[in-house]
Amino acid sequence: MRAKRATGFIAPAAAILLIIGSIAPRAWASLQLSIGNPGLEHFDADGGVQLDFGLTDQNGQPVGNLKPDNVKVFEDGKPARIVDFRGVGQGRPVDIVFVLDVTESMQPYIDAVKQNIISFVQDLHSNSRDYRLGLVTFEDYVVSEYPDCNCAYRNKMTSNVNEFIDWVSGLHAGGGGDIPEDQLDALAYAASFPFRPEAQGIIIIVTDAPPHHDGDGSAYTQHDQAFWDHHQRGVEVTSETGPKVAALLKKNGLTLYAVVPPPFIAPEYQEIVDATHGKSYNIVTEEGRFASLVREIGHSIATEYSLTYVTPRPIEDGTNRSVELQVNFGGESATANTSYQVRGIGGAAINVPSGSGAPGTNETGTGLNQLAFSWWNGAVPIIAILGLLALSRVRFGVSTEELKAIVQAQANPPPPRMPPRAGAPPPSPRTGAPSPPTAGGPGGSPRLQTLNATGPVASEYALLKNEITVGRGEDNDIVIPHASVSRAHARLMKRDGGFELMDLNSTNGSFVDDQRIHGSAFLTSGSQVRLGDIKFVLRY
């Protein structure tokens, strides 16, 4: 009788569900919102926090026409002002490191990555994602970390997809059979790669084995000689754990995409994915469609949105901040949460409760917190100044000769400097400050000589750092005050005796010898560079 009553109830219930579905089909539609780790590149300058997020419809397809009005950001429950919003096709740069298991069972997956990486990067390129790719390989140790690997890709990233294909084509899976493998060390090593500060950082791991972890007793397991060539006898394979690697990736603002065994076999992967707000795919159930999965992951990364908001608390107080992103689109809504920890030392007044009814607040519920922030922002510079004054009065063993030199310099001061001519740029302490012309040729200091200097644009800029940002914005190492130059236009990096010029998605483009670059290009002494309408020649 009980079974019959249960069966008899199913039909009416199903009918009711069908009726509800036909009356209000939109009720079943849902938006899926995913969010990455916040980026803090501009936090110390203007309190800017970067967010990358993806939005898909009920069919799993990216929603491509989201506008800033559809999005709201809250930090610790307080609304934040969005100052930059980039839709699909306008995303910020992205650096991606593939972490591949190279044990014998993984050869089909390695081949699939090689065969599908073209479509992977084409999706990135068509959506204006300035990309770079890196590669880490591992088995029972991190193969590409050791010099004896002779790996061309060792701790290197490239924007040339053909170079990356060459790297993957040279992989030959072999060995294995004694799981687990050394995935946690491989992820930690990938986190040390030279990710660009302004870029979204992503790690993609592909493995069919669980990881070694601290305390797993691997020090007493028999291994072959190749293993002991890379590990100390009697010491466990790794000192890493899932929580430690999760904290490392989160601290570095990296997001993990993991094609791995399910959590009941290897819970560490899901722990890291959750901490970094990434995505996890079951390699057991996805084995038959791994080739299309590579393209799917690339499309997911390519169609993400990015925004920058100004934190309501622009101080480096060492606290953790919770972030809530709300999206309302087409009558539907979705919410996602993330968090970040700001640098600095926390203060006692920072976490004073605020809001309606909190002691010491005004009608808006912000009085005490605003007072605390003002005190913090004012007190720290005063303390620093007092410290410098105290240090200036301390004499650290100055010799008699040095004292005589100081007295002589004070008695014979240098002649006063002539005032700058009209229109000349003011002196600047920046690394890329205008510098006086110097003789060219081998051994000269690297510099950009301006070929069409106008107005406040200097005639020459010195290149004194290994990495230099160039743009119209005041936060760049080299500031080019011209309307045709983007706020963050390009980056110059010393490479193999020359320089690599990387365009940062500038509006008017970067050119080398009259050829517009997409990604980056190598420069040598004498190369002509054009940023927007301003032309330079590199000399060193």
Side-chain angles (χ1 to χ4, degrees):
M1 290 294 293
R2 178 172 301 181
K4 287 183 179 179
R5 278 197 294 268
T7 305
F9 177 75
I10 292 175
I16 292 171
L17 291 175
L18 288 173
I19 292 171
I20 294 174
S22 63
I23 294 174
R26 293 189 61 83
W28 298 105
S30 60
L31 296 175
Q32 296 295 322
L33 181 64
S34 60
I35 185 172
N37 273 320
L40 304 179
E41 180 197 1
H42 300 295
F43 189 94
D44 57 351
D46 51 19
V49 180
Q50 295 172 321
L51 292 179
D52 297 286
F53 64 96
L55 186 70
T56 56
D57 61 19
Q58 65 271 22
N59 299 317
Q61 297 301 310
V63 176
N65 49 354
L66 205 62
K67 304 297 181 185
D69 293 342
N70 302 122
V71 181
K72 292 182 179 179
V73 180
F74 297 86
E75 183 176 292
D76 290 337
K78 296 181 179 180
R81 179 169 57 93
I82 297 174
V83 294
D84 181 60
F85 184 90
R86 301 188 185 187
V88 173
Q90 301 174 316
R92 68 183 175 117
V94 58
D95 287 343
I96 304 169
V97 176
F98 284 82
V99 179
L100 300 184
D101 186 337
V102 291
T103 54
E104 190 171 7
S105 61
M106 293 299 297
Q107 189 63 54
Y109 299 96
I110 294 171
D111 292 338
V113 170
K114 177 181 66 177
Q115 294 160 8
N116 292 276
I117 196 66
I118 291 288
S119 59
F120 182 97
V121 300
Q122 282 177 342
D123 230 343
L124 296 174
H125 183 71
S126 63
N127 284 278
S128 300
R129 301 302 301 267
D130 167 22
Y131 67 87
R132 294 194 308 169
L133 304 174
L135 179 63
V136 171
T137 52
F138 69 91
E139 43 184 72
D140 247 335
Y141 62 97
V142 184
V143 176
S144 56
E145 184 178 10
Y146 291 90
D148 61 2
C149 172
N150 294 320
C151 308
Y153 52 87
R154 186 166 176 257
N155 200 34
K156 181 180 178 182
M157 304 188 80
T158 181
S159 57
N160 185 330
V161 65
N162 292 320
E163 183 178 21
F164 185 82
I165 291 174
D166 288 342
W167 294 347
V168 180
S169 298
L171 300 181
H172 301 288
D178 57 338
I179 59 175
E181 309 296 349
D182 197 13
Q183 291 89 338
L184 296 183
D185 278 333
L187 290 173
Y189 177 61
S192 70
F193 267 50
F195 290 91
R196 292 170 291 177
E198 74 278 7
Q200 179 186 8
I202 290 177
I203 296 175
I204 301 175
I205 185 171
V206 184
T207 179
D208 61 357
H212 280 295
H213 59 81
D214 187 26
D216 64 358
S218 55
Y220 308 103
T221 304
Q222 294 295 321
H223 296 277
D224 58 25
Q225 186 58 44
F227 173 86
W228 292 120
D229 287 342
H230 298 89
H231 290 286
Q232 185 177 350
R233 291 185 181 272
V235 178
E236 291 184 345
V237 170
T238 180
S239 61
E240 299 289 355
T241 63
K244 286 172 64 176
V245 174
L248 173 64
L249 266 61
K250 183 175 181 180
K251 178 183 177 182
N252 291 358
L254 303 174
T255 300
L256 180 67
Y257 284 69
V259 186
V260 292
F264 70 86
I265 295 177
E268 294 90 347
Y269 301 127
Q270 192 62 48
E271 186 173 19
I272 302 171
V273 165
D274 291 342
T276 62
H277 302 281
K279 291 185 179 180
S280 181
Y281 304 86
N282 187 336
I283 196 169
V284 177
T285 59
E286 301 287 1
E287 180 180 7
R289 70 176 203 100
F290 180 73
S292 61
L293 186 59
V294 174
R295 297 190 294 270
E296 180 181 313
I297 293 173
H299 188 63
S300 175
I301 296 170
T303 55
E304 285 188 332
Y305 294 84
S306 64
L307 63 82
T308 301
Y309 73 87
V310 176
T311 172
R313 185 162 53 177
I315 53 174
E316 295 186 329
D317 56 6
T319 58
N320 285 295
R321 317 283 181 87
S322 62
V323 180
E324 180 180 297
L325 181 67
Q326 296 180 0
V327 172
N328 292 281
F329 180 78
E332 300 178 54
S333 62
T335 302
N337 296 278
T338 184
S339 64
Y340 70 93
Q341 182 175 16
V342 72
R343 298 178 303 179
I345 302 174
I350 295 305
N351 294 317
V352 176
S354 65
S356 178
T361 60
N362 56 23
E363 290 80 359
T364 62
T366 60
L368 235 170
N369 263 340
Q370 293 299 324
L371 177 62
F373 303 155
S374 300
W375 175 86
W376 183 271
N377 288 330
V380 170
I382 292 174
I383 293 171
I385 291 171
L386 291 175
L388 290 173
L389 288 174
L391 288 173
S392 69
R393 294 179 176 274
V394 178
R395 181 164 294 169
F396 294 98
V398 181
S399 66
T400 304
E401 290 75 11
E402 290 172 321
L403 287 174
K404 288 180 179 179
I406 293 172
V407 171
Q408 184 175 3
Q410 292 176 341
N412 301 284
R417 302 176 69 177
M418 297 298 292
R421 66 182 185 280
S428 169
R430 290 187 180 86
T431 298
S435 62
T438 57
S445 60
R447 59 206 178 280
L448 284 176
Q449 292 181 341
T450 313
L451 298 180
N452 58 340
T454 58
V457 178
S459 60
E460 187 172 290
Y461 296 89
L463 309 177
L464 303 180
K465 290 168 57 178
N466 289 334
E467 292 199 10
I468 297 170
T469 57
V470 185
R472 193 179 69 250
E474 289 294 327
D475 54 346
N476 289 286
D477 296 312
I478 293 181
V479 178
I480 311 295
H482 194 273
S484 67
V485 177
S486 295
R487 184 180 180 277
H489 197 106
R491 178 183 294 272
L492 276 166
M493 299 163 287
K494 288 186 178 179
R495 293 283 190 273
D496 302 324
F499 281 84
E500 181 182 355
L501 176 69
M502 178 177 297
D503 185 77
L504 302 180
N505 289 328
S506 63
T507 301
N508 296 314
S510 301
F511 299 77
V512 176
D513 296 329
D514 293 326
Q515 297 293 319
R516 183 163 185 167
I517 65 173
H518 299 282
S520 63
F522 190 76
L523 308 178
T524 58
S525 185
S527 293
Q528 291 196 15
V529 177
R530 177 160 64 87
L531 306 180
D533 295 335
I534 306 301
K535 298 179 180 179
F536 305 90
V537 62
L538 176 66
R539 301 292 187 193
Y540 59 88

